Amino acid sequence: MHHTDVEIAIHATEVASEVIRSAFHTPLTRYAKVGDDFATQADLAAEKAILDVLAAACPGDRFLAEESGVSGAVGSDRTWMIDPLCGTRNFAVGTPSVAVNVALRTGSTVTAAAVGAPFADEVLWTDGDGAFARHDGTDERLQPNADNLLVDINLDDPFPWSTPAQLLDAPGFADVFHPRAHSTSLTLVWVASGRRAAYVTGGDLSDSVHFAAAIAVCQAAGCVVTNLAGQPLHTEPHGLIAAADRETHARLVAAIAALR
């Protein structure tokens, strides 16, 4: 049995990860969403698997899921935030850069979170007291490290005053960092695990099922996590900088400020 909230979250990501692996490189049906966005039957099946786990373990809770929306107990102060397959476009073309995101928000605070990496057979998780990576049932504490100088930039969400691509030419960025671009929250938790120096995105992430779990893991690992101006997250001008250390964070804040 999975008794604690974080063990429930980890189990839910593991179940969904198995669904995703079993559907990889199989014929996919695309279900149209807003604009050119879409889901596949793998998204839907992974989400159902997560919801089945959570509903059985926490029947009195509320659920906010990427594909099916809100369900569960009305008025509960415990809301599970679910992104069953982050990186659907990658998955649909046979690229394994995807993640499963499950976070429990109690009131306004994320109190348990897990980010599954289906093709690495890994779950990065936090219960608010440190952050860890689980492989084969063994947990190892995450250690952020900026020495690699790799910074991922989400090119989908614009900054309020510029496009994310302009950061590549900003003073203090290109001469220091090595930019990368991945369209999945998996890259955000790589900051917590020392595989990236930082992650940058625009957008209002205050109710984001895509980022809630990964942000919580980064914060618990000791990363510096703010909005694009270096101020508290979820405040104007919104967006996100998650950096492995304060020096890296300060450099990125200065580079982004130069775009104004």
Side-chain angles (χ1 to χ4, degrees), residues 157-161 200-207 226-241 256 260:
D157 289 318
F159 299 170
W161 50 82
V200 180
T201 184
D204 183 352
L205 310 183
S206 54
D207 257 332
T226 69
N227 70 10
L228 291 174
Q231 300 302 315
L233 193 61
H234 308 318
T235 62
E236 293 287 351
H238 293 296
L240 167 75
I241 302 172
I256 292 170
R260 289 177 181 261

Side-chain angles (χ1 to χ4, degrees), residues 36-125:
D36 66 349
D37 197 10
F38 64 91
T40 71
Q41 72 266 33
D43 298 74
L44 303 181
E47 182 168 294
K48 182 180 184 303
I50 293 170
L51 287 170
D52 286 349
V53 168
L54 298 181
C58 308
D61 290 357
R62 180 175 177 264
F63 312 109
L64 174 60
E66 165 72 6
E67 307 303 337
S68 59
V70 178
S71 61
V74 176
S76 174
D77 69 343
R78 288 167 47 95
T79 299
W80 291 91
M81 304 177 73
I82 303 153
D83 181 6
L85 204 173
C86 186
T88 298
R89 290 181 184 277
N90 291 342
F91 182 82
V93 296
T95 302
S97 295
V98 302
V100 180
N101 298 296
V102 177
L104 172 62
R105 186 174 65 193
T106 305
S108 60
T109 303
V110 173
T111 53
V115 179
F119 297 99
D121 198 18
E122 175 182 57
V123 180
L124 293 90
W125 62 271

Side-chain angles (χ1 to χ4, degrees), residues 2 6-22 46 49-50 53-54 84 99-102 114-119 121-125 133-139:
H2 306 276
V6 75
E7 289 295 339
I8 293 167
I10 291 169
H11 179 55
T13 67
E14 291 173 336
V15 169
S17 291
E18 180 57 36
V19 171
I20 290 167
R21 286 191 295 268
S22 68
I50 293 170
V53 168
L54 298 181
V100 180
N101 298 296
V102 177
V115 179
F119 297 99
D121 198 18
E122 175 182 57
V123 180
L124 293 90
W125 62 271
R134 179 169 297 184
H135 301 270
D136 298 324
T138 300
D139 293 321

